[in-house]
Amino acid sequence: MRILLGAHRISYGGYPGVGAVAVLGSGIAGLLTAYHLSTSSGISRIRVYEARRYIGRPHCTGLVSLSTLGRIPFARRFVEHYYSGVRILVPELRIIVTISSDRPSFAKIDRVGLESRLAEELSSRGVELLPCLLYTSPSPRDRTRSR
């Protein structure tokens, strides 16, 4: 089995050439990782593990640059609006970043719709999507029960 951490591949046991891969998390990064892996040869099995019960949740604004938009499969179908400027606020650090252009440079995408579409595509390619299967440590309440 291989575990991918960002752009680094780490091998743990298994046999050379088997090509089993586990992707942790079904957010946009995990789904895109699984998507690109599914297009490579030599990978026999891909599993995407997710801690939640479902894929696609509104946890991000969905704001991407136009160059990023062009690299995400199906993303153009989910564009809600184009922007020529954005303002990013980080109140904890008292930072405000303003980026502007004379033409549209950013797109707001429907992240939930895009993630759901990517999940459908991955399922059709034989990728296993496994919600609620990431290990979580027992809650303090569970620990007292086992004593």
Side-chain angles (χ1 to χ4, degrees):
M1 164 128 355
R2 295 191 180 179
I3 298 175
L4 296 178
L5 301 171
H8 306 285
R9 183 178 297 168
I10 303 169
S11 295
Y12 288 97
Y15 300 98
V18 169
V21 177
V23 177
L24 304 180
S26 67
I28 192 73
L31 294 172
L32 287 173
T33 298
Y35 178 87
H36 290 294
L37 288 169
S38 73
T39 63
S40 347
S41 60
I43 297 176
S44 60
R45 181 182 207 171
I46 301 168
R47 286 183 165 175
V48 178
Y49 293 90
E50 172 57 47
R52 292 175 172 70
R53 291 187 189 112
Y54 54 89
I55 293 171
R57 63 184 177 95
H59 59 284
C60 173
T61 62
L63 189 65
V64 297
S65 70
L66 294 187
S67 62
T68 299
L69 181 72
R71 292 192 302 264
I72 301 174
F74 315 112
R76 292 198 187 277
R77 299 180 196 171
F78 294 93
V79 171
E80 295 179 340
H81 193 68
Y82 289 96
Y83 297 94
S84 58
V86 296
R87 178 175 277 175
I88 303 165
L89 309 171
V90 185
E92 299 84 12
L93 301 175
R94 297 182 180 163
I95 294 175
I96 300 173
V97 177
T98 303
I99 304 169
S100 61
S101 174
D102 55 349
R103 58 189 167 82
S105 301
F106 304 93
K108 161 80 169 83
I109 56 174
D110 170 11
R111 284 279 305 268
V112 173
L114 176 59
E115 289 175 10
S116 297
R117 176 64 185 95
L118 282 168
E120 289 171 14
E121 179 66 21
L122 290 171
S123 289
S124 74
R125 292 174 179 225
V127 172
E128 297 174 73
L129 302 169
L130 305 165
C132 291
L133 290 179
L134 286 179
Y135 171 78
T136 56
S137 60
S139 70
R141 183 177 174 191
D142 292 335
R143 281 188 228 126
T144 56
R145 284 185 192 164
S146 62
R147 290 181 184 169

